[in-house]
Amino acid sequence: MRTAQQPATRHWRHAVAPGGLPLAGHALLMGRKPLQFLASLPAHGDLVELRLGPRPVYLPCHPELVQQVLVNARVYDTGGPVKEKAKPILGNGLITSDWADHRRQRRLVQPAFHAARIATYAEVMERECEAESTAWTARRPIDVSHEMLALTARVTARALFSTDMAPHAVAEIQHCLPIVVEGAYRQAIDPTGLLAKLPLAANRRFDDALARLNQLIDRMIDDYKASDDGDRGDVLSALFAAQDDETGGTMSDQEIHDQVMTLLLAGIETTASALTWAWFLLGRNPRAEAALHAEVDGVLGGRAPRYADVPRLAYTQRVFSEALRLFPPAWLFTRTTTEATELGGRRLPPASDVLISPYVLHRDPALFPRPESFDPDRWLPERAKEVTRGSYLPFGGGSRKCIGDVFGMTEATLALAAIAGRWRMRPIPGTKIRPRPQMSLTAGPLRMIPEPR
Ligand code: HEM
């Protein structure tokens, strides 16, 4: 195992990724089999250079170098072509804002995710998880991906916009969000930037879905302002109430709009993908499934899970943590240097793109023994403390660490417990699943059979 403390004189290994072609560099390898390609790179060096087209990009493979990038958010800022393409969709919110503005925005949005607020959102989670787990018919196959996306869309929408949000608005989010996420990803990986401008049916669908989401958010904001409700306990109320400690400033309607769009895009598909992977993994690991059932039965004794149960659902949380390790939804994200700097002894010019891949760290046998095996108990406290610091990053790190980490963990724990209390999710023999590294690391359709327990 690598140790967290490295001597100051450490000699970092640099490498150029093998397999580059004269013009395309490694773009074809990244396009065809990005997960396998990226996961092969730590064997070559601590800092690996690859070329996606003409530009070099850098992949730190050692957790210490990854930490250096994440904690130095001023020098390693969000940026580059991916951010520019995300701006027309997300506006200027937490994900797209540059370093200086991000600090102000984070101060304003953070209160919406304080523990006391999460306890209120958990009431929505409890209700929706219970509704989901009672909606299925015994032995009628379901598409787990679809169900988990519907569940997290309902939870997030209702936590954002108050609990009595009209059902048609939730349905609108459920319909539009996957189209926007898919279109945003297509645009992000299009090196020419021309795809979005072509008169394609997919582009028209994307434009329409984005316009509908924007209208829905505007309507929610207008309704809130007209209602005179004060604090409804939802995220929107917290955003309206937020006041910057340092400047006394608040957020404009447009800023609130952009934060809401950002939360919808960042919070729904990520949690749904990880939940889908958790069911997939449990279906292939009967011992882990039995341990989950035993915990859920012992803690809940047949009733629906409540927020207060979450700390006692420790195995359930370990299952989710392990699903996040094997299939981290945010499998790849980027930073761009704002000035010349040095990483692992290598000089990086300004505007260098740096890739951060939790997937690469999570699958590195030097960091996680038997990395391919699904072993929730590697997160038992006594074993977890052996894990090299900075090598487990499903929620990122530094000042841009996921603001919804506790929200997502709470939601997933309640969802797993509510469903596992009622159903055994039986895999359908012969089902083949290939991870789809898109905006999130999704499983695609996953049919399973809910068997009453
Ligand atoms: C299991 C579920 C989730 C995973 C794996 C996940 C992962 C991540 C990661 C890795 C980042 C950092 C990206 C970067 O550094 O560039 C991030 C940021 C973010 N996430 Fe999550 N996320 C999850 C759930 C959520 C939820 C439920 C919400 C909101 C309700 C949310 C909202 C955000 C926001 C707003 C950011 C940007 C934070 C900032 O830059 O200040 N996420 N997420």
Side-chain angles (χ1 to χ4, degrees), residues 161-177:
F161 304 126
S162 95
T163 50
D164 52 4
M165 182 180 179
H168 74 266
V170 179
E172 182 83 340
I173 291 174
Q174 245 170 271
H175 171 76
C176 294
L177 194 90

Side-chain angles (χ1 to χ4, degrees), residues 8 10 16 22 28 81 88 111 120-121 133 137 139 165 168 185 193 213 280 327 346 375 401:
R10 191 195 148 91
V16 173
L28 289 179
T120 314
Y121 310 148
S133 70
T137 306
R139 285 175 282 280
M165 182 180 179
H168 74 266
Y185 176 71
L213 267 189
F280 170 78
F327 298 104
R346 176 90 161 72
D375 177 10
K401 185 174 181 215

Side-chain angles (χ1 to χ4, degrees), residues 94-95 102 106 266-267 270-271 330 333 335 394-396 400 402 407:
L94 281 175
I95 288 180
H102 178 265
R106 186 85 188 207
T270 41
T271 316
F333 47 91
R335 296 288 188 266
F395 295 107
R400 288 184 180 265
C402 179
F407 185 112

Side-chain angles (χ1 to χ4, degrees), residues 70 78 93-97 102 105-106 109-110 113 125 156 159-160 235 259 262-275 320 324 327-335 356 358 393-409 411-412:
L70 290 177
T78 58
L94 281 175
I95 288 180
T96 42
S97 51
H102 178 265
Q105 291 194 17
R106 186 85 188 207
V109 181
Q110 195 70 57
F113 289 88
M125 297 172 190
T156 310
L160 279 168
V235 174
Q259 302 302 359
T262 298
L263 293 168
L264 287 174
L265 259 82
I268 295 178
E269 202 193 50
T270 41
T271 316
S273 300
L275 275 169
F320 192 65
L324 285 173
F327 298 104
W331 61 286
L332 188 71
F333 47 91
T334 61
R335 296 288 188 266
I356 302 291
L393 294 176
F395 295 107
S399 55
R400 288 184 180 265
K401 185 174 181 215
C402 179
I403 203 166
D405 54 356
V406 177
F407 185 112
M409 279 303 292
E411 177 184 12

Side-chain angles (χ1 to χ4, degrees), residues 81-150:
V82 173
K83 176 170 135 185
E84 287 317 309
K85 287 179 193 158
K87 272 195 161 170
I89 302 164
L90 295 175
N92 181 31
L94 281 175
I95 288 180
T96 42
S97 51
D98 59 22
W99 177 75
D101 198 32
H102 178 265
R103 295 173 71 219
R104 176 189 68 88
Q105 291 194 17
R106 186 85 188 207
R107 286 197 300 272
L108 285 160
V109 181
Q110 195 70 57
F113 289 88
H114 281 167
R117 307 261 344 157
I118 301 279
T120 314
Y121 310 148
E123 292 168 23
V124 175
M125 297 172 190
E126 290 166 2
R127 247 198 325 278
E128 293 298 339
C129 292
E130 174 67 0
E132 181 71 31
S133 70
T134 49
W136 302 341
T137 306
R139 285 175 282 280
R140 184 186 293 167
I142 53 162
D143 174 0
V144 178
S145 291
H146 177 84
E147 295 298 325
M148 294 302 107
L149 193 64

Side-chain angles (χ1 to χ4, degrees), residues 300-382:
L300 305 177
R303 65 174 169 78
R306 308 294 310 264
Y307 178 56
D309 299 318
V310 170
R312 289 192 298 145
L313 292 166
Y315 189 78
T316 314
Q317 292 191 51
R318 292 205 290 281
V319 164
F320 192 65
S321 299
E322 183 66 345
L324 285 173
R325 184 186 67 80
L326 280 165
F327 298 104
W331 61 286
L332 188 71
F333 47 91
T334 61
R335 296 288 188 266
T336 303
T337 55
T338 51
E339 58 187 49
T341 187
E342 184 243 281
L343 184 63
R346 176 90 161 72
R347 242 189 119 59
L348 306 188
S352 296
D353 291 324
V354 178
L355 304 178
I356 302 291
S357 175
Y359 185 91
V360 166
L361 295 174
H362 295 181
R363 298 269 179 157
D364 184 346
L367 300 169
F368 293 95
R370 297 190 303 123
E372 310 295 322
S373 97
F374 175 64
D375 177 10
D377 281 342
R378 65 172 93 228
W379 302 109
L380 277 169
E382 62 275 17

